[in-house]
Amino acid sequence: MALCKAAVESSSWLLYISTDYVFDGTSPPYNVTDAPNPLNKYGLSKLQGEKAVQSISSDFAILRVPLLYGQVEFLEESAVTILLKSILNSGVTLHSSHYERRYPTHCDDLASLIMLISEKKCFQQEKISGVFHWSGNDNMTKYDMMIAMADIFGLDMSHIVADDKSNPGTKRPYNAHLSSERLENLGIKVDRTPFRNGIKDVLCPFVSS
């Protein structure tokens, strides 16, 4: 709220980054006009953030994105990159979700998108406000991502067991795929990095040759 108020006082524009977890994942793909229905505290907190932003200024924008990954200093920094640790820990049998569908999205692609959005708002003086969606193309489970990592680097996956049941703990949307139609209709388009290409570059520093 403080940042939003400061933006108003300085006549600045604000872009709030939200999540696909504001949806329950039962009716994908989700358009910006679809009603949110978060299943967990994370999704609820981001939705509350959206409402706070919108309550301060209707000129501000909200960008919902899915699971992100990119360059990291430590594998634990990302819910995607940390999966490599489980693959490398070959002495322990682990179960990996093969149920919820995710759309891992490269941070470099997102940065390029935000730059285009900002340029259109600030330099072309176009009205960029309200809710927008953007997502990577790859439809994957957590287990799919691990299979891709292991295949790229020739790692053993025999100790990883695919779990095709929903998470018994924190509820997560089954498939909260986001439609990018509104952005594309504005002519804002960014090439999506294929997961196998992106994750190879990200994980190379952590895999011994």
Side-chain angles (χ1 to χ4, degrees):
M1 293 290 283
L3 185 58
C4 293
K5 292 177 181 178
V8 171
E9 291 170 1
S10 61
S11 299
S12 299
W13 175 72
L14 184 140
L15 177 66
Y16 174 78
I17 304 300
S18 190
T19 176
D20 57 343
Y21 270 36
V22 299
F23 296 111
D24 59 20
T26 59
S27 303
Y30 288 94
N31 294 306
V32 297
T33 54
D34 290 327
N37 183 32
L39 298 178
N40 55 42
K41 289 184 178 180
Y42 172 66
L44 179 60
S45 68
K46 296 298 284 186
L47 180 60
Q48 290 172 334
E50 292 184 11
K51 292 178 179 178
V53 168
Q54 291 172 320
S55 72
I56 297 297
S57 174
S58 60
D59 188 48
F60 292 159
I62 294 162
L63 178 61
R64 294 172 179 154
V65 294
L67 181 69
L68 300 176
Y69 73 98
Q71 299 296 327
V72 294
E73 293 185 46
F74 309 101
L75 292 174
E76 294 84 355
E77 289 182 58
S78 162
V80 175
T81 55
I82 197 173
L83 297 176
L84 178 64
K85 292 192 69 175
S86 296
I87 298 173
L88 296 175
N89 190 15
S90 57
V92 179
T93 300
L94 296 170
H95 289 77
S96 179
S97 175
H98 197 39
Y99 179 75
E100 291 94 356
R101 313 306 305 183
R102 308 301 302 276
Y103 293 81
T105 300
H106 203 298
C107 289
D108 287 358
D109 298 343
L110 178 59
S112 297
L113 179 78
I114 292 174
M115 180 65 72
L116 291 177
I117 293 172
S118 301
E119 288 176 348
K120 187 172 282 289
K121 170 66 179 180
C122 299
F123 300 126
Q124 299 179 27
Q125 301 298 308
E126 293 202 23
K127 184 174 177 61
I128 304 292
S129 62
V131 179
F132 297 91
H133 290 172
W134 197 74
S135 171
N137 286 332
D138 294 283
N139 179 340
M140 311 179 79
T141 64
K142 185 182 292 186
Y143 183 74
D144 290 332
M145 289 182 245
M146 296 178 78
I147 286 290
M149 294 175 191
D151 184 54
I152 290 167
F153 296 106
L155 303 174
D156 177 38
M157 272 279 290
S158 61
H159 60 294
I160 307 295
V161 179
D163 186 351
D164 60 2
K165 299 180 180 62
S166 61
N167 192 310
T170 301
K171 290 185 178 180
R172 295 180 174 87
Y174 170 69
N175 185 345
H177 187 211
L178 301 171
S179 168
S180 306
E181 183 179 7
R182 187 180 178 207
L183 278 175
E184 291 170 353
N185 287 342
L186 289 174
I188 301 175
K189 298 180 182 180
V190 172
D191 290 336
R192 277 86 160 172
T193 300
F195 181 77
R196 289 179 65 92
N197 295 353
I199 203 63
K200 180 179 181 180
D201 291 340
V202 167
L203 294 182
C204 267
F206 301 94
V207 181
S208 301
S209 57

